[in-house]
Amino acid sequence: MNVVFLRGLNTFGDEQFRLGPWSLGRIDKFWRAKLIQSGHAFYAMDGMGPGDVSMQTHRAATAFRQLRLQKPGHRFHFLGYSQGGLVARALVHEPDIASHVLSVTTLGTPHLGSRLAEKLGRFHTDHPIAHQVLRHFGYDTQIRSDGG
């Protein structure tokens, strides 16, 4: 079985699991280890970067097409975490990609939107003092909420 993992949004736009500015390692390390240990091929959709679902879908589609060219005839299962689940759902609407996807599984995906994401997007205006404190330490919540 070939599994393609699509990560969720993080404010740094990378493949790390983060707690604020601290990296705790790759977000896919648990899934990678378990699936490889079970004898499955695991591909992480790296390089999706920051941004909204449409931006990440465009980058992921480009990366998937390159992966597919390297693995002709292979079919894949998409495993999408959080916003990665939304990206996976968008990818299967691309005819040349859909024909290579066997299934889509999502974990913690906000299929109906996310109130938390809406609150985080307003954090800098709703909590200006906390925003200034975090900005002083190098974490600009306004830039991060805009996907930068």
Side-chain angles (χ1 to χ4, degrees):
M1 175 170 62
N2 299 305
V3 177
V4 175
F5 179 82
L6 297 107
R7 65 155 170 85
L9 176 68
N10 81 25
T11 58
F12 288 83
D14 61 16
E15 284 66 49
Q16 300 297 305
F17 178 69
R18 295 185 180 271
L19 182 59
W22 298 284
S23 172
L24 303 175
R26 287 188 60 94
I27 197 162
D28 60 20
K29 70 180 176 184
F30 170 80
W31 296 104
R32 177 186 302 271
K34 291 294 183 186
L35 287 165
I36 290 173
Q37 182 181 31
S38 298
H40 305 296
F42 183 90
Y43 306 93
M45 191 62 66
D46 290 349
M48 288 175 24
D52 62 18
V53 174
S54 64
M55 292 167 60
Q56 288 190 324
T57 299
H58 175 74
R59 290 186 204 112
T62 300
F64 183 79
R65 286 178 178 112
Q66 292 172 349
L67 171 67
R68 196 186 77 224
L69 291 173
Q70 295 171 7
K71 304 288 182 186
H74 280 103
R75 297 191 51 168
F76 300 86
H77 297 275
F78 280 166
L79 174 60
Y81 170 71
S82 192
Q83 185 166 314
L86 298 176
V87 172
R89 284 180 50 201
L91 287 174
V92 296
H93 289 281
E94 304 271 340
D96 66 316
I97 292 176
S99 63
H100 295 273
V101 178
L102 295 166
S103 69
V104 175
T105 302
T106 63
L107 304 162
T109 298
H111 296 286
L112 300 176
S114 167
R115 284 189 278 195
L116 177 59
E118 292 169 8
K119 286 182 180 190
L120 291 174
R122 297 188 315 263
F123 183 85
H124 61 283
T125 54
D126 291 351
H127 306 285
I129 294 172
H131 167 69
Q132 290 300 323
V133 169
L134 289 169
R135 199 166 139 201
H136 176 74
F137 289 101
Y139 193 83
D140 190 327
T141 58
Q142 183 175 5
I143 291 171
R144 299 292 180 199
S145 69
D146 293 338

